[in-house]
Amino acid sequence: MTHAKFRTTNHRNRLAGGLCALALTIITGSAATASDLATVESGTLLVGSDQVYPPYDYVEDGVTKGLDADVMALIGPKLGLEVKFVDTRFANLIAGLQANRFDMIASALYVTAARAKVVDYIPYAKTGGSLTVRSADTFAPKTPEDLCGKRVGNLKGAAWVPELMKVSEASCTSAPITVQEYATSAEAAQALLSQGVDVVFDDAGVSQAAVAASGNRLKITSDTILFPVVMGIAVKKGNTALGEKVEKELQALIASGEYAKLLEKYNLAMPSPGEIEQSLQGTN
C-alpha cells in the first residue's frame, strides 16, 4: 500500500480505490515509524477530546471512556506512544489543535468541507442526528421541517446548526427555527427538561444516552437518522507522519475484523468512500 501526504482536496482517485482510501492522500512518501513521530510531549500522544459527550467521550472514575477511548486504546500502543486525553470543550478543539495543545483530535468530530480546510481527517465512523423532546410533550417532531417556530437546543459548534438554518430559511418563512447553543450536550438536555428549549437536536448515540440518563423523562421522536455525517480523527494540516501512521493502523484493524466489533458496540458503521466524498464536498 502506498503511503502519502494527507489532504482534503483532489482526493477522488484514492476514494475510488475503496475503504483503504479513507485518508484521502495524494503525494507519495515513506511511512513513519513510531520513533519518527514528533509529538507535543515526547513519547506521548496528546488527544483533544470533549469528555462530556457520552457515549463517545466521557469520564468515569477518573478514566476517559467511550468510543474514542476505545479506538485510541487499539491504535495508540501500535504507535509506540502513551495516549493522554486533553479534556477540551468541543468548540475549542480545532483551535487547540492549531495551537499545539495536543497532537490530534479524537472526539466524534464530524467531517465537513469547512473543517477540512483547516485539519486533515482520517474518517473512522458514521452517525447522524436525532430529535429529543420531553416524554410528556405532545410535540413529536420527525424532521427538521417540523421545527419551525421552535427553540432548538444544540451543542455549541455542532455541524448541523448551519443545516438547520438552511431549513429555517427555506421552509420557515413565518416562524423561523431558533437555535440555542450549549457548551455540552448534558446542558442542552437539562435546558429541555427545564423547558428552556422545545427540542434538542443531537447525535443519535448521544440522544440515546441522554434519554437513559434522564430516567426516561425524555424521548426520541425522529425515526430516521437526520443529516447523516462522517466522523473523523483530525490531525494538524501537514502532520503527514502522524496521519499516515494512524491510517495504517486503522486499516489493519479493519482488515482483521476487530474494528467492526468495536463499531457494533456503539451501533455505528464505517462510512463509504461516497459518503466521505459528500462530506468533504459539503453535499451530504
Side-chain angles (χ1 to χ4, degrees), residues 51-263:
Q51 297 183 14
V52 288
Y53 198 56
Y56 302 117
D57 304 273
Y58 62 99
V59 176
E60 185 174 281
D61 297 328
V63 178
T64 300
K65 294 188 176 181
L67 169 69
D68 291 299
D70 287 350
V71 170
M72 295 316 303
L74 292 174
I75 293 177
K78 296 179 180 180
L79 303 180
L81 297 169
E82 178 186 1
V83 176
K84 290 185 180 179
F85 286 92
V86 181
D87 187 20
T88 304
R89 295 293 72 80
F90 189 84
N92 299 319
L93 282 170
I94 290 179
L97 180 65
Q98 293 175 321
N100 294 320
R101 290 191 59 231
F102 32 81
D103 302 293
M104 62 186 291
I105 298 169
S107 190
L109 185 68
Y110 298 160
V111 175
T112 70
R115 290 174 182 160
K117 294 178 181 179
V118 294
V119 302
D120 287 339
Y121 279 111
I122 303 97
Y124 70 127
K126 66 176 178 181
T127 183
S130 292
L131 295 171
T132 304
V133 301
R134 293 173 290 272
S135 294
D137 290 348
T138 57
F139 174 54
K142 301 292 185 184
T143 70
E145 287 76 14
D146 294 333
L147 304 178
C148 296
K150 300 298 183 180
R151 301 166 300 166
V152 182
N154 280 273
L155 178 66
K156 184 176 178 62
W160 43 56
V161 171
E163 300 303 321
L164 288 177
M165 292 298 90
K166 291 177 186 177
V167 170
S168 184
E169 292 173 7
S171 304
C172 308
T173 53
S174 60
I177 297 171
T178 301
V179 171
Q180 296 179 200
E181 296 183 304
Y182 296 87
T184 69
S185 291
E187 289 176 59
Q190 186 56 49
L192 178 59
L193 287 168
S194 63
Q195 301 188 32
V197 295
D198 303 303
V199 57
V200 168
F201 194 125
D202 210 334
D203 177 272
V206 172
S207 298
Q208 289 178 338
V211 169
S214 75
N216 292 318
R217 289 180 293 161
L218 300 177
K219 63 182 179 182
I220 295 171
T221 54
S222 51
D223 48 23
T224 60
I225 294 295
L226 306 174
F227 304 137
V229 290
V230 174
M231 298 192 296
I233 295 169
V235 298
K236 193 173 182 179
K237 279 238 175 252
N239 193 351
T240 308
L242 179 58
E244 286 180 349
K245 190 66 176 175
V246 171
E247 181 208 11
K248 177 183 177 182
E249 299 305 335
L250 177 62
Q251 294 308 321
L253 289 168
I254 292 171
S256 71
E258 187 173 6
Y259 196 65
K261 294 177 182 178
L262 175 58
L263 291 181

Side-chain angles (χ1 to χ4, degrees), residues 18-63:
L19 286 177
C20 67
L22 288 176
L24 316 178
T25 59
I26 61 174
I27 303 174
T28 58
S30 299
T33 63
S35 60
D36 294 329
L37 295 176
T39 55
V40 175
E41 293 184 5
S42 180
T44 302
L45 183 67
L46 297 181
V47 181
S49 169
D50 187 349
Q51 297 183 14
V52 288
Y53 198 56
Y56 302 117
D57 304 273
Y58 62 99
V59 176
E60 185 174 281
D61 297 328
V63 178

